[in-house]
Amino acid sequence: MKLVIVESPTKAKTISRFLGKGYSIESSYGHVRDLPKSKMGIDIEHGFIPQYVIPRKAQKNVTKLKKLAGKSDEIYFATDEDREGEAISWHLSEILKTDPGKIKRITFHEITEHAILNALKNPRAINLKMVDAQQARRVLDRLVGYELSPFLWRKVVKGLSAGRVQSVAVRLIVEREREIQAFKAQEYWTVETELSKDKSRPFTARLVKINDKSLDKFDIADEKKAKEIAQDLEKQKYAVSNIAQKEVRKTPHAPFTTSTLQQEANRRLGFSAKQTMMFAQQLYEGQELGGRGQVGLITYMRTDSLNLSDKFLTECKQYLEGSMGKEFSLPAPRQFKTKAKLAQEAHEAIRPTDVSITPEEAKKFLDERMAKLYELIWRRAVASQMPEARFLQTAIDIAAGNYGLRANGNQMVFEGFLKIYPEQQQENILPHFNQNDALNLLSVKPEQHFTEPPARFSEAGLIKVLEEYGIGRPSTYAPTIATIVDRGYVEKIEKRLKPTDIAFLVNDLLVKHFPEIVDYKFTAEMEDRLDEIAHGTESWNKVIEKFYKPFKANLMKKDHDITKKDLGTETETSEICEKCGKPMVIKFGRFGKFLACTGFPDCRNTKQLSKEGKIEEPAVTDEKCPNCGAAMVVKQGRFGPFLGCSRYPDCKTIKNIQKSTGVKCPECKEGDIAERRSKQGRTFYSCGRYPDCKFALWSKPTGESCPKCSSLLVFAAKGKIRCSSKECKFEKEQESS
């Protein structure tokens, strides 16, 4: 028997389609060994050797894999082709303790029959240099996290975390917020005219020159000057002074890499980086497509490469010529140059495994959001092999006394790749003009403007900057952003990343006392060192040692020297604790400022503070505490209001404030569906009788039943209502009120 081990059951199911009898395909269910959670797990004194353990949740599966390995003639590790996948294969080889001659490592960029069979014909040994690089990253992050985080607990507040990449991401967000806070708007004016030629359609021309001098942005600084110019323009005669036309070509974007996929999915679909990678993983590992069976729909989604295989390029050309005509295909494939310094050119960009599986076909079988991501990947890859879009740009210069105006026209001549990958293109077709044509003035419009502050980062914007600085790697962006949100450093407001009070405090502490941790250049250079380890030009132990010794010495010094008062994390007040008579101080918590008694831990009295710094007395409710019978009061937490016992801290009972939807639970027929929050802050809807009834939905129910399958209907995006059952595809438009 030949044993093939992959990371996930879905991947195992897809691969099993291509391998016949004699193969057993099993899943490792992700990592099989890791550093222990309860301690550092690194032998710092002896070369930073990690002390791995098998997590409890993996032990049963590891035992099963050991038994299967003992009965197998050959063992193929078919984990992902990146460093993490290589490390999982190495951990498996260490755990199975089988004959090394049996072990073979295979990799592939896509889960198709051709790729799998080709991989089996070309096995290799485990790449220990890649394993070392992954091990170095893990050890480095553990050292920073387990050494620096407790320091923050002692000096700021418990529950905080610090990390090599996450702290730099927080710094970027904090510094952007300070730019916004320091911004002062500057006024400026523009003047536009509405003109026409005879009875032709009116068009707009903007004032661009006065006395043959081009206007700068702030040359018209106030209303008085703008109105003077407007009044003067009303007296002038207008004529065409120059006509310039040129054809402009727009080239399609390169196919997606990990980073550009995360950015574009955030911009176009509103997906977080974490969601994008989750759906991409599912598309890569395989989905059930009716008669086609379980199909891996895209190539591997962790890549810096822009290469496309010859097979894909051929299929793409055939598809375009067959479905759109020869004018929409290229005589020779378009090649893109990879910008990443150490991208592996043997890898490919993210693309569909089969061009013939169109988005229209795939969406019949896929979850709605997964289908949207597949469509984005499919269109981007196919469009990359289409001709440029062509536009005719026209610039009309207009003379009006000593004033010069300009009208700009833009007309699409050939759609090209935009037929498949549409972008916002504003056409403005001007009337036909000849030199010296007289024009009629219809109106003059002075308009006031103010300069805008820089916008807060969206996830796409933050990823772009991280990549530009070389901080982290594309595969780390999604977990990094998820971590800084989960740990309370950042909150999402209208899909933008806003730092919390604690983010400012921790960032300033790290910038002042641990500058190397949050230094952009240092963090990027460390990524380069990890790449060099993967290429065998650096020793991983020496890289860690060079970083750790000065870091540890500085940490010990700062731990001794810095107090909470130095950091401003405790501020004296005139408030006296009504429970014990001791003074109260303002402290920082993970979710903001609060008043606390200095008699802690003997007295645990605390009070909420508003954003303005005023004491907020919690509102008393009629509800009684189920544990002690005292009144429950409304308190504020990270995810909004909740109920807490008024006898806190003697009684620590808390309850969610249920927002009932008024919809009966279809499962138990007793409770109402209520709005709730997950631990990650995501809204969901579940039965009010939880945990006795565990019915739950991610979308708000309408109260209606599906006409096809009788499941609850839920509100969906873009004004639609859909069935809550994944198997049912019923959908309709919301009725306008």
Side-chain angles (χ1 to χ4, degrees):
M1 183 187 74
K2 296 177 181 179
L3 176 63
V4 179
I5 303 178
V6 298
E7 301 100 314
S8 79
T10 306
K11 193 172 175 182
K13 184 179 177 183
T14 308
I15 288 175
S16 65
R17 286 186 58 217
F18 312 123
L19 301 179
K21 290 180 180 178
Y23 284 92
S24 174
I25 297 95
E26 297 291 336
S27 169
S28 72
Y29 290 89
H31 290 274
V32 290
R33 285 201 313 181
D34 200 1
L35 296 171
K37 287 187 177 180
S38 57
K39 60 179 182 177
M40 176 72 77
I42 296 167
D43 189 347
I44 293 169
E45 301 300 321
H46 300 92
F48 302 93
I49 302 301
Q51 300 160 350
Y52 293 113
V53 297
I54 299 172
R56 186 176 296 174
K57 66 178 183 179
Q59 286 174 354
K60 185 177 178 181
N61 193 51
V62 165
T63 302
K64 176 186 173 184
L65 292 175
K66 282 182 176 179
K67 286 181 182 177
L68 289 168
K71 299 174 185 175
S72 302
D73 303 314
E74 293 177 346
I75 302 168
Y76 292 90
F77 295 139
T79 52
D80 289 347
E81 59 178 340
D82 57 8
R83 292 177 198 166
E84 192 171 6
E86 205 71 22
I88 292 173
S89 287
W90 177 74
H91 283 300
L92 283 166
S93 70
E94 293 286 300
I95 286 172
L96 297 182
K97 292 184 170 61
T98 189
D99 177 4
K102 285 184 180 182
I103 292 174
K104 296 176 181 180
R105 172 79 169 113
I106 59 171
T107 58
F108 35 83
H109 310 311
E110 58 184 86
I111 305 178
T112 59
E113 184 172 12
H114 170 79
I116 301 301
L117 296 180
N118 188 57
L120 288 169
K121 290 176 188 174
N122 298 282
R124 60 168 172 81
I126 293 171
N127 186 331
L128 295 178
K129 293 172 186 174
M130 288 178 69
V131 174
D132 283 348
Q134 180 64 23
Q135 190 161 248
R137 180 186 290 280
R138 188 74 185 93
V139 168
L140 192 60
D141 290 343
R142 173 58 65 100
L143 289 170
V144 173
Y146 273 48
E147 295 268 19
L148 198 51
S149 297
F151 171 82
L152 294 177
W153 302 349
R154 291 189 293 272
K155 304 301 178 183
V156 185
V157 65
K158 271 197 169 185
L160 295 176
S161 69
R164 209 172 40 82
V165 178
Q166 76 169 61
S167 297
V168 179
V170 171
R171 180 180 179 181
L172 284 165
I173 294 166
V174 165
E175 289 184 348
R176 174 61 63 86
E177 193 70 18
R178 284 194 165 130
E179 284 181 54
I180 295 168
Q181 291 169 351
F183 178 81
K184 291 181 180 176
Q186 186 172 348
E187 181 183 7
Y188 67 99
W189 287 71
T190 58
V191 180
E192 288 187 346
T193 61
E194 190 176 24
L195 304 166
S196 70
K197 177 194 169 185
D198 301 327
K199 295 181 180 179
S200 64
R201 182 173 54 84
F203 64 95
T204 299
R206 175 176 284 200
L207 178 66
V208 292
K209 285 183 180 181
I210 300 178
N211 295 323
D212 288 328
K213 180 184 177 294
S214 295
L215 286 175
D216 289 330
K217 185 174 185 177
F218 299 107
D219 278 353
I220 308 176
D222 53 43
E223 184 178 14
K224 182 183 176 185
K225 188 171 182 181
K227 285 191 171 178
E228 284 174 0
I229 292 169
Q231 288 168 5
D232 203 12
L233 280 167
E234 287 174 350
K235 304 171 188 173
Q236 307 302 322
K237 292 185 177 181
Y238 292 77
V240 175
S241 60
N242 188 55
I243 302 168
Q245 286 190 324
K246 62 178 180 179
E247 187 176 272
V248 175
R249 293 169 179 258
K250 186 172 178 61
T251 304
H253 299 286
F256 285 126
T257 61
T258 306
S259 168
T260 54
L261 175 63
Q262 290 174 356
Q263 292 175 52
E264 197 72 350
N266 183 248
R267 286 194 199 99
R268 288 196 176 219
L269 307 177
F271 290 176
S272 68
K274 186 176 179 181
Q275 287 175 319
T276 299
M277 295 310 288
M278 177 182 72
F279 295 134
Q281 182 87 36
Q282 292 168 352
L283 290 169
Y284 165 70
E285 291 182 346
Q287 297 296 308
E288 192 69 38
L289 294 190
R292 289 180 184 263
Q294 185 90 358
V295 178
L297 285 162
I298 64 169
T299 52
Y300 192 52
M301 63 285 153
R302 293 187 181 93
T303 177
D304 286 335
S305 176
L306 295 177
N307 283 349
L308 292 169
S309 71
D310 291 340
K311 178 176 175 289
F312 172 79
L313 294 172
T314 302
E315 289 176 355
C316 192
K317 184 176 176 67
Q318 290 170 349
Y319 171 82
L320 290 168
E321 290 182 357
S323 61
M324 297 183 191
K326 285 193 175 183
E327 69 272 24
F328 284 98
S329 75
L330 297 171
R334 182 181 285 111
Q335 304 291 341
F336 294 90
K337 189 175 180 181
T338 299
K339 292 179 183 177
K341 285 188 294 184
L342 293 166
Q344 298 185 49
E345 292 305 317
H347 292 183
E348 278 196 74
I350 305 169
R351 62 164 175 83
T353 56
D354 186 343
V355 178
S356 70
I357 303 175
T358 62
E360 291 71 29
E361 180 186 350
K363 74 178 180 182
K364 299 173 189 173
F365 307 99
L366 299 178
D367 167 87
E368 182 182 1
R369 290 180 295 176
M370 202 187 301
K372 286 180 178 178
L373 189 66
Y374 177 71
E375 180 173 7
L376 190 66
I377 292 167
W378 187 94
R379 289 184 180 279
R380 177 81 162 229
V382 173
S384 76
Q385 297 306 308
M386 294 178 71
E388 300 162 319
R390 302 200 306 273
F391 298 87
L392 182 64
Q393 286 189 354
T394 305
I396 308 296
D397 289 327
I398 298 159
N402 62 336
Y403 298 102
L405 299 95
R406 174 165 288 183
N408 291 309
N410 188 44
Q411 183 177 359
M412 184 182 287
V413 177
F414 176 62
E415 209 172 0
F417 77 94
L418 294 174
K419 189 173 181 68
I420 274 189
Y421 199 75
E423 296 176 356
Q424 284 189 339
Q425 299 289 336
Q426 194 167 1
E427 276 199 301
N428 180 29
I429 302 172
L430 296 173
H432 175 72
F433 295 106
N434 293 312
Q435 193 89 5
N436 301 319
D437 276 350
L439 301 172
N440 304 312
L441 176 67
L442 304 178
S443 65
V444 181
K445 304 176 204 169
E447 282 193 41
Q448 184 185 39
H449 308 273
F450 291 93
T451 52
E452 297 279 341
R456 288 184 179 129
F457 284 115
S458 63
E459 286 201 16
L462 182 62
I463 288 168
K464 185 177 181 181
V465 173
L466 288 170
E467 187 175 39
E468 285 171 355
Y469 277 116
I471 296 164
R473 286 295 178 260
S475 59
T476 67
Y477 298 151
T480 295
I481 293 172
T483 297
I484 62 177
V485 172
D486 291 345
R487 298 291 164 85
Y489 286 120
V490 172
E491 55 187 347
K492 287 187 180 180
I493 297 178
E494 296 177 348
K495 297 187 178 181
R496 297 277 170 171
L497 303 172
K498 180 181 184 291
T500 58
D501 289 343
I502 206 74
F504 284 96
L505 182 65
V506 171
N507 177 70
D508 291 350
L509 167 62
L510 294 178
V511 168
K512 183 175 180 181
H513 299 287
F514 300 92
E516 73 282 359
I517 295 296
V518 288
D519 180 73
Y520 303 140
K521 188 176 178 183
F522 171 85
T523 309
E525 285 175 350
M526 185 56 74
E527 291 296 339
D528 291 341
R529 299 292 81 76
L530 294 172
D531 288 336
E532 286 164 8
I533 293 167
H535 285 75
T537 56
E538 281 269 22
S539 162
W540 78 269
N541 312 74
K542 288 181 180 177
V543 168
I544 301 295
E545 183 179 18
K546 189 176 178 182
F547 161 80
Y548 182 73
K549 284 189 175 181
F551 165 73
K552 180 65 174 178
N554 185 43
L555 181 65
M556 292 173 70
K557 182 179 184 301
K558 299 298 182 183
D559 204 12
H560 178 268
D561 295 347
I562 297 173
T563 66
K564 284 195 172 188
K565 287 186 179 179
D566 294 332
L567 298 174
T569 55
E570 284 188 11
T571 308
E572 293 180 0
T573 72
S574 58
E575 193 76 20
I576 301 298
C577 175
E578 72 275 14
K579 293 189 176 180
C580 73
K582 290 187 177 179
M584 298 193 82
V585 293
I586 296 174
K587 286 189 173 184
F588 260 95
R590 282 184 66 195
F591 312 123
K593 295 178 181 178
F594 65 98
L595 269 180
C597 180
T598 53
F600 180 88
D602 298 324
C603 179
R604 295 175 178 265
N605 188 23
T606 61
K607 294 184 179 182
Q608 291 175 194
L609 290 176
S610 67
K611 290 185 177 179
E612 293 75 33
K614 295 179 180 177
I615 295 172
E616 285 187 335
E617 295 295 340
V620 180
T621 70
D622 295 331
E623 190 164 345
K624 301 298 180 186
C625 174
N627 290 327
C628 72
M632 299 289 279
V633 295
V634 178
K635 295 191 173 186
Q636 285 292 330
R638 177 181 170 193
F639 300 124
F642 66 95
L643 291 179
C645 181
S646 57
R647 290 185 60 247
Y648 178 86
D650 298 321
C651 178
K652 296 181 180 177
T653 303
I654 61 170
K655 287 181 71 178
N656 286 329
I657 295 176
Q658 288 194 7
K659 296 181 186 175
S660 177
T661 62
V663 177
K664 274 285 181 221
C665 173
E667 199 161 289
C668 70
K669 314 287 192 216
E670 294 179 33
D672 283 351
I673 304 294
E675 181 182 315
R676 295 177 183 269
R677 288 262 192 176
S678 70
K679 288 181 180 178
Q680 290 73 37
R682 186 176 169 190
T683 301
F684 69 101
Y685 301 85
S686 68
C687 180
R689 292 183 60 246
Y690 178 87
D692 296 326
C693 176
K694 295 184 178 178
F695 178 81
L697 299 164
W698 282 115
S699 301
K700 186 176 180 179
T702 66
E704 299 177 289
S705 296
C706 175
K708 285 189 175 180
C709 70
S710 299
S711 298
L712 278 178
L713 293 179
V714 294
F715 292 103
K718 296 183 179 178
K720 302 219 170 173
I721 288 172
R722 62 175 173 80
C723 182
S724 59
S725 170
K726 288 184 179 179
E727 287 73 37
C728 180
K729 302 296 179 183
F730 177 78
E731 189 176 85
K732 68 174 184 176
E733 297 288 335
Q734 288 184 34
E735 293 178 11
S736 55
S737 55

